[in-house]
Amino acid sequence: MSRWFSVLVLCLALLASAVTAVWDEKDHRIFDLNDALVSLKGKDVNFYSILQSAPTASASELNKAYRKISLAVHPDKNPDPEAGKLYQILTGVISVLKDTESREKYDYHLKNGIPRWRGTGYYYQRYRPGFFVITVFILACISFVQFASAWAIYYRDLARAKEDAQLLNQVSGKAKKALKKSKKSGAAGSKTSLNEGSAEEVPEIELPIPPSYKDVILMQLPLWVVSTVASLASGKKEKEEDVAVDGDAEVVEDAQTEPGSGKLGRRKKRGEASGTESEAGTPSISRRK
C-alpha cells in the first residue's frame, strides 16, 4: 500500500509540475488582472464584458470600446476612487487583449476557468517569501508525505497483524477441539497434559504503534538542533573542568617536588645560611689577630 501511495504522490507531483510549467509571466498577469476585476465588479464580469464587447470582437472594436469607457472613468473626470481603480484595470485589460498571444491565453482560461492553484512560481513572484519561509514550506511538504506514508505503513501492518491473529485463533481452536476428543477417548495423562500446554500457550500478536506527528522531520529537526547545541556546550564545559583539575594537580606536584618545600628543604636552607655566616666571620677573626 505504501508503494502505491508513493507512486501516486510522484505522479501528482509530475502532473502539477507539467501543468504549472505552461504558465508564464503573461498568464500570471492575466491572473492578477482577473482577481482585481472580480474583487471590484464581481465574479460574473470578464475582460470582454467590462468593455461591453463580445469575445469575437476585433482589435479595433475593442480599442473603440476602451476609449469610450476609459473617458468616463478617467481620474481627471471622475474623482471616485473606484473609478480610478477601474481605469487601471481597463488599461491592463486592453493591453492583454491587444497582444495576440496574451488574448489566446485569456480565451483559454476564460473557457476552462481561472485555476485556483497557479504554481509555486506565481506565488513566489507575488509574495517574495524569504529563505526561512521557503525552508519551512519545504520541510512541511516533506513532513506531510512522511506522515501520510507512515499511516499507510501502519494500516498495512495492522491488517497483517489481524490476519495473523485470525490464523492463531483458528490453530488454537483446532488444538482445543483435539484436546477435548483426547479426553473423551481416555488418552494417557502425559499426552493430555502435553496437549493442554500446547493448547493453552498461544503467542500474542503485537499490534503496530500508530504514527505521531512528533516523528516528522519538521518536529524532529529543531529538537535535533537543540540537543546537538546542548551536547556541544556540555562537552565544552566538561573539557574546561578537566583542564582546571589537571592544572591544580600540576601545581600540587610542583609544590611537593620543589627543593625548598617541606622540612628537608627548610633544614637545607638553614644549613646553607649558617655556612655562609661562618665563612663570612672567619676573615674578621684573622684581622683581629
Side-chain angles (χ1 to χ4, degrees):
M1 184 176 179
S2 60
R3 180 182 177 185
W4 288 110
F5 180 79
S6 302
V7 172
L8 179 61
V9 171
L10 180 61
C11 292
L12 291 175
L14 292 175
L15 180 62
S17 62
V19 171
T20 56
V22 185
W23 299 333
D24 53 11
E25 294 182 359
K26 293 183 178 180
D27 293 286
H28 297 167
R29 187 182 182 190
I30 291 171
F31 298 155
D32 290 336
L33 283 172
N34 183 78
D35 291 343
L37 183 61
V38 167
S39 62
L40 189 66
K41 291 296 183 179
K43 296 181 179 180
D44 297 331
V45 182
N46 55 49
F47 288 6
Y48 295 106
S49 62
I50 196 65
L51 293 175
Q52 298 177 1
S53 302
T56 57
S58 61
S60 60
E61 292 175 350
L62 293 173
N63 280 327
K64 289 180 181 178
Y66 166 72
R67 291 173 184 173
K68 179 180 179 182
I69 298 175
S70 62
L71 287 175
V73 297
H74 196 277
D76 295 338
K77 295 184 178 181
N78 194 338
D80 189 4
E82 184 175 348
K85 294 180 182 179
L86 182 59
Y87 179 79
Q88 293 178 356
I89 294 173
L90 288 172
T91 304
V93 166
I94 195 61
S95 65
V96 169
L97 297 180
K98 277 183 180 181
D99 185 65
T100 305
E101 184 180 359
S102 298
R103 185 172 181 178
E104 290 177 355
K105 288 179 177 292
Y106 176 72
D107 292 340
Y108 172 81
H109 292 303
L110 184 63
K111 181 181 178 181
N112 298 283
I114 302 294
R116 294 183 178 180
W117 174 253
R118 301 168 184 181
T120 55
Y122 170 78
Y123 294 107
Y124 179 79
Q125 291 181 358
R126 187 167 184 178
Y127 298 105
R128 296 289 180 180
F131 176 77
F132 178 76
V133 177
I134 295 174
T135 304
V136 172
F137 176 75
I138 293 173
L139 291 177
C141 293
I142 296 173
S143 300
F144 174 77
V145 175
Q146 180 185 2
F147 192 61
S149 302
W151 273 104
I153 295 171
Y154 165 75
Y155 282 118
R156 181 198 65 185
D157 295 341
L158 184 63
R160 290 180 179 177
K162 288 181 179 179
E163 291 177 359
D164 295 340
Q166 290 177 358
L167 291 174
L168 287 174
N169 289 330
Q170 292 176 2
V171 171
S172 62
K174 291 179 180 179
K176 289 178 180 178
K177 289 180 180 178
L179 179 62
K180 290 180 180 179
K181 289 181 180 180
S182 63
K183 285 182 178 181
K184 290 180 180 179
S185 61
S190 60
K191 294 183 178 179
T192 304
S193 61
L194 181 63
N195 289 332
E196 286 178 356
S198 62
E200 290 176 357
E201 293 178 359
V202 178
E204 295 182 358
I205 302 298
E206 294 183 0
L207 296 178
I209 301 174
S212 175
Y213 68 94
K214 297 179 181 180
D215 298 330
V216 299
I217 188 172
L218 187 62
M219 301 296 294
Q220 289 294 321
L221 186 61
L223 296 177
W224 176 80
V225 172
V226 172
S227 62
T228 303
V229 172
S231 62
L232 290 175
S234 61
K236 185 178 180 181
K237 186 176 180 180
E238 290 177 358
K239 188 176 180 180
E240 291 177 353
E241 290 178 355
D242 294 338
V243 170
V245 170
D246 293 340
D248 294 338
E250 290 178 358
V251 170
V252 172
E253 290 178 358
D254 293 339
Q256 291 178 354
T257 57
E258 188 178 358
S261 61
K263 295 181 179 179
L264 182 60
R266 286 195 293 270
R267 291 175 181 175
K268 288 182 179 180
K269 287 183 178 180
R270 290 175 183 175
E272 291 175 358
S274 60
T276 52
E277 289 178 357
S278 60
E279 290 177 358
T282 305
S284 60
I285 295 170
S286 61
R287 288 176 185 175
R288 288 178 183 175
K289 290 180 178 179

